[in-house]
Amino acid sequence: MTKDSSHTGDEAAAPTPEELREKVEATREELGETVEALAAKSDVKTRAQEKTTAVRQQVVEKTTQVRTQLRDKATHAAHAVQDRTPEPVRAKAAAATGQVRDRAVHVAELARDKAPEPVREKAGQGIQAARAKRTPLLAAAGALIALLLIRRSRRHR
């Protein structure tokens, strides 16, 4: 019973040079990914910017949501006031709205004629902004006038 040196148990367990290279390469890739992950975690400035961007996006979304809710509630309130307002009061409110609009146009013309150029430019920008939001402004003005007329009519009773 002699030992055969060519068939020892060590050879079956010993990896080939190619397997060692693959193992070393896999370990290098793993180490590189780990280093990148650690670098990303330690980059406070980038993480703060990412967090700021996320918070900013949340604020924009919430602002849009609240703005929509407020617009819906204002429209609902204006309709509720209009539905509860008697027809003569609504007619007076419409007439008063027309008078206010006509008077505002007249005052605007006077102001435009007498105002310096920089003031006219700023006023033009304000007018454009108001025109962009005309419907909510008119609804709010109409509701306000209707409320004032209702208060006035109740005081005279």
Side-chain angles (χ1 to χ4, degrees), residues 66-120:
V66 169
R67 184 181 300 136
T68 302
Q69 288 175 347
L70 286 175
R71 186 177 299 132
D72 291 345
K73 286 182 181 182
T75 302
H76 179 70
H79 287 293
V81 168
Q82 189 176 20
D83 291 344
R84 293 181 187 150
T85 305
E87 182 57 39
V89 174
R90 279 191 272 171
K92 284 183 182 180
T97 302
Q99 290 175 351
V100 167
R101 186 180 301 124
D102 293 342
R103 189 70 180 149
V105 168
H106 178 69
V107 169
E109 288 172 356
L110 287 175
R112 184 181 31 203
D113 292 341
K114 295 182 181 187
E117 185 61 32
V119 173
R120 279 189 244 160

Side-chain angles (χ1 to χ4, degrees), residues 9-108:
D10 294 338
E11 284 183 358
T16 65
E18 184 60 35
E19 290 174 336
L20 286 174
R21 284 187 198 105
E22 288 175 6
K23 202 171 193 181
V24 166
E25 186 59 34
T27 304
R28 282 184 183 156
E29 286 181 24
E30 243 181 78
L31 183 59
E33 291 171 2
T34 303
V35 168
E36 285 178 12
L38 289 172
K41 284 186 177 183
S42 66
D43 189 1
V44 176
K45 184 178 178 181
T46 301
R47 291 177 67 200
Q49 288 174 342
E50 290 171 354
K51 183 70 174 175
T52 301
T53 302
V55 169
R56 185 178 294 134
Q57 183 63 32
Q58 288 175 347
V59 168
V60 167
E61 290 172 3
K62 189 67 174 176
T63 302
T64 303
Q65 180 184 11
V66 169
R67 184 181 300 136
T68 302
Q69 288 175 347
L70 286 175
R71 186 177 299 132
D72 291 345
K73 286 182 181 182
T75 302
H76 179 70
H79 287 293
V81 168
Q82 189 176 20
D83 291 344
R84 293 181 187 150
T85 305
E87 182 57 39
V89 174
R90 279 191 272 171
K92 284 183 182 180
T97 302
Q99 290 175 351
V100 167
R101 186 180 301 124
D102 293 342
R103 189 70 180 149
V105 168
H106 178 69
V107 169

